[in-house]
Amino acid sequence: MSEKRCLAGAFFPKDPAEVKITRMTGQVHQQIEQIYHEASRQIFASLARALRDLDLAEDAMQEAFASATLQWPGDGIPENPVAWLITTGRFKAVDAIRRREKLKQISTEVAARMHRVAAANASHAATEIEDDQLRLIFTCCHPAIDQNVQVPLTLREVCGLTTDEIARAFLTTPTTMAQRIVRGKAKIRDAAIPFVIPDLAELPERLDSVLSVIYLIFNEGYSASSGDSITRSDLSGEAIRLCRLVLQLLDDAEVVGLLALMLLHESRRETRQTNAGDIVLLADQDRSRWDRNLIDEGQRLIERSLATRHFGFYTIQAAISAVHAGAVTADGTDWDQIVSLYDVLFRIEPTSVIELNRAVAVAMRDGSIAGLEIIDAILKRGDLVGYSLAHSARGELLRRVGRMPEAIEAFETALTLTEQASEQRFLREKLRNLRLS
């Protein structure tokens, strides 16, 4: 038996034409995967606008990509693959409605709507897709939707974050978060919330939620909550792009401040991890490699926001980042200014996470004991007990004051609370060094 298998493999190879076709098919599938990675949420947004049903749009998008894997290897990749996927998704949705014999009057309405959209000039496809993403964000942040649902719903439907990722960002359980997202989708469908960018007069009442969405997208991209890499450039880049779009609609100080904040953080991306993917702390980063163009743009935007005298949460955070960016060395950081800015930030937004960040700044200015007292008080009242970074920060301050057994315990707790591979390696190395000392 083994001899026959050997002969089949060694002496009767596949026809060269068949090998070539197989190779081409593999290349096409790789390109389809890349398109899915880069454009799936844009395609989803366009389908959601046309279909007015988020679940139906998701199913239609998946069906369109499935059709692409079958057709494109033989027919070739279309000149505008994104437009092809949107068009295919529309008709897949109509077919699905008809197959299920669900509300035939809606089927007619959807088909008519699709016909109008399909007749649009293909040369404007990219712009329409960008607008569709923004429309979907504003739809998910409609005032008729409960405020604690708006941001999670948008993160799920516009950005494609998983329910687990969103739950971690909000420090809640995946089950609770899934229920919120289901409620939000049902509200959009049942209340027939329009998929439109609101008039200028309506923008301010939705702006806070929209900026929160963009901010959380960036956070997930800048410090990924799970996976092998600590960053996800696709998400942080998308957040910056969306913020620029919002700024075109509304020249608001906080939109400017958020854009500045993201650009300043993004300027440090390339220095935040080693080639092996290990974390490099801010104090150890090679500042000569920070992107000066992004820093300069961020600093100009901060000045623009501050000049309005109507700035807030995002602008103050950007100012803190600007202090770091302005320090030639870690030792030259103006921690007194940073603590003062955190004082202002905490008055604007008195959250435990901001209090934790302020505690670290206080430790750098006044010594580890001062910062440790603040972190212990936060944890004692039950806040951030499930937040890995709180225990990690506490462990580092305990290490600095020589309380090694407590430091080990804190780092062990932090290790159990993170699903980020780089953070896990970082914490294990900390623990190894502490146990050897």
Side-chain angles (χ1 to χ4, degrees), residues 168 216-226 229-233 235-236 265-266 269 272 387 389 420 423:
R168 281 193 290 272
L216 288 172
I217 296 169
F218 184 83
N219 280 351
E220 180 62 27
Y222 187 73
S223 297
S225 58
S226 61
S229 175
I230 62 172
T231 65
R232 290 180 59 182
S233 59
L235 289 179
S236 57
H265 278 302
E266 189 71 4
R269 170 183 294 282
R272 295 186 63 238
Y387 189 47
L389 295 180
Q420 219 293 319
E423 287 182 8

Side-chain angles (χ1 to χ4, degrees), residues 91-135:
F91 289 107
K92 291 291 184 183
V94 173
D95 291 342
I97 294 172
R98 288 173 176 156
R99 279 198 308 269
R100 294 191 306 240
E101 296 183 349
K102 176 184 175 184
L103 301 177
K104 294 188 183 297
Q105 70 275 19
I106 292 180
S107 176
T108 303
E109 178 188 333
V110 170
R113 187 158 57 240
M114 288 177 187
H115 178 74
R116 291 194 300 271
V117 177
N121 191 330
S123 65
H124 296 100
T127 303
E128 289 170 2
I129 291 168
E130 281 194 352
D131 288 347
D132 282 337
Q133 283 192 287
L134 208 53
R135 286 187 187 97

